Amino acid sequence: MLTKILIANRGEIACRVIRTARKLGYRTVAVYSQADANAPHVSLADEAVCIGPAAASESYLKVDALLDAARRTGANAIHPGYGFLSENAGFAQACADAGVTFIGPSPEAIRVMGDKAGAKKEMIKAGVPTAPGYLGADQNDDTLIAEAKRLGYPLLVKAVSGGGGRGMRLVHQDSELAQAITSARREAQSAFGDGTLMLERLVENGRHIEIQVFADGHGNAVYIGERDCTAQRRRQKVIEESPSPVVSPELRKAMGESAVLAAKAIKYQGAGTIEYIVDQELNYYFLEMNTRLQVEHPVTEMISGFDLVEWQLRVADGQPLPVTQDQITYTGHAIEARLYAEDPYSGFAPQTGPIAWWRPAAALYDGVRIDDGIREGGEVSPHYDPMVAKLIVHGRDRADAIRRLIATLDDAPLLGLKNNARFLRDLVDHGRFRAGTMTTTLIDQWQTDGEALLNKPQAPEDAWLLAAALFAARAAGGAAPSRTLRADSVTAYDLPLVHEGTRRTLRTRPDANGVVHVQPAPTEAAQALRLIDQGTDARGGLVRFELNDVQRKVLAVQLGTELHLVIDAATFVFTEASPWPDQNAAQDPSRALAPVAGTVAQVLVKPGDTVAEGQQLLSIEAMKMEMWLTAQAAGTIKAVHAKVGDQVQAKALLIDIELETNKD
């Protein structure tokens, strides 16, 4: 019988499991790395144990440390969440050997389905359709290259272990293959401790549709609808929804029954997901089985009314499933958006830094759920996944859900570091998404094609006017420092503002009635902007103002010298320009700086090497992603200040380059 549950994870999934466990009366134990000492899941649990340093390999992936924490706290069950050790058969076996209930399937089921190549072979035996590929044990590079040429392009190089898109590379031609194999193998080894690869012919213009299955220890198994996870970037899911806009009741039944057969064939127990790729003719092919709870499980919960974590706990405690297949019904439409700490307008580069503003309660209306694992005042580190929260909505139909998600993204901004909120808003409002014609590679194609969706939003004129009015009003009231040199007796003055490298000078004149007269340009008339409410927080908050006889509300937060305005889920940052010249080292092509904090994974150059513009110099691994630093101009390497394995901070100087134009 379960009594106390240790959650072998972090972030939003740890908080999610703790909430359901508490609802059922179970005591909980959190584990945390030194980097997560102040994380929300730590304070949410009844007890907490530090299990090691920041690196996952020295904390969340250490089986002995997790079992020792369970022993010390008296926890007799472990919930693995997703990621980390959730699909590790060795961990499940170690739990069993220690007399601790692993809340998930048996070690054997994980072992069979965790090896993607082996799982695919099992599905072929069972008659489940699969895409062509190479599943052999020979991992020699020459063998993989030969098999890739036999299969043809495009194809996927995939890690046989793990999930979440880690250790996966899309290859379009021969010239990309060798690097893809090396990179995928290294990432898989780092993330899962297993660098074994397989090859799979890509089903072009396909949709990623998965079936939620659940089985107990009494021979019962059901499927709970499908989830459409087609909206992806770099093989990572961005938006998930249920039901799928392309799946008919007949197709749902066929895919669901096939998924249940697959689960029963391996005597599966607990929550699992059968993933399919569906082509343009709605033929479906088995991809893999995730032997754990999925990140996107909330959309299934929204349309079914079930708590899948509760089901996990009850099944692990020996109870049968609470319903039969014919008792499962679906209501409405649900969509989940993954909030990532990344910059969609710079190749989705991961971001790290302090969480200056995060108040999701403002967005929690009926039909809205936000699962997060962050708090205001905390920090997003480079050590873990860039997903920081999930925004989930439920509507009567798909149009309702889209509208509600857009409003939720507007009402729950994350400030302090760049994130993908505005991109998510634009994506669900895009014609292709609304029409249900997304494909798994469309966002990547948009990056290549220059789709407007991936152009950084520009601050509207009203944002400039409001920024000028707020800077002027706060400086006049002593609430914010001003860089503008002027005498106290001056009532009207030029205010130089900078936003995203654009500098504009607006003439401002505050009066005693809360009105700031702002002249956008010398040839334009001044506009009167009345500040009605500047927010209750010392840094600002929800500002209410009147412009052109219309009252509006905008979140405006002062963070140091920066004013952050949030409009339609986009954050526009304004600063008052300094009167002194700006020396921006980040623009100097002779100094290659780290784009983010992380670990140096590869160094391809040494002092004395000549490099061309755009040539790869070194790679940094952060948030389970690999990013390349490239030369911004041709020249010769003068010095390399980092080696493989070094931990570096964002903007750290890594390489000095003597530019060709500077040579004698």
Side-chain angles (χ1 to χ4, degrees), residues 413-416 419 422 457 499-500 564-567 569-573:
L414 169 63
L415 304 184
N419 58 80
R422 176 57 180 262
H499 165 65
E500 293 289 347
H564 293 238
L565 300 181
V566 181
I567 301 172
T571 301
F572 303 106
V573 181

Side-chain angles (χ1 to χ4, degrees), residues 53 90 169 172 362:
R169 297 293 184 273
H172 292 95

Side-chain angles (χ1 to χ4, degrees), residues 57 125 191 200 240 271 286 320 348 365 370 374 401 448 471 617 653 662:
S57 61
K125 289 179 185 177
E200 187 171 83
E240 301 100 352
F286 172 84
F348 296 98
Y365 294 93
I370 297 178
I374 57 174
T448 302
F471 270 112
L617 305 176
L653 175 63
N662 295 337

Side-chain angles (χ1 to χ4, degrees), residues 86-97 102 104-116 118-119 122-123 125 262-269 289-291:
S86 62
E87 295 181 281
N88 186 296
F91 179 48
Q93 186 63 57
C95 289
D97 294 343
F102 179 79
S106 67
E108 181 57 27
I110 297 175
R111 192 171 294 110
V112 170
M113 301 308 283
D115 180 338
K116 292 183 178 65
E122 291 296 320
M123 293 301 102
K125 289 179 185 177
K264 286 186 173 182
I266 59 169
K267 297 180 174 59
Y268 195 80
Q269 183 173 321
M289 182 179 190
N290 293 130
T291 54

Side-chain angles (χ1 to χ4, degrees), residues 474 479 535-541 558:
R474 292 178 180 180
T536 56
D537 191 278
R539 298 173 298 171
Q558 189 83 34

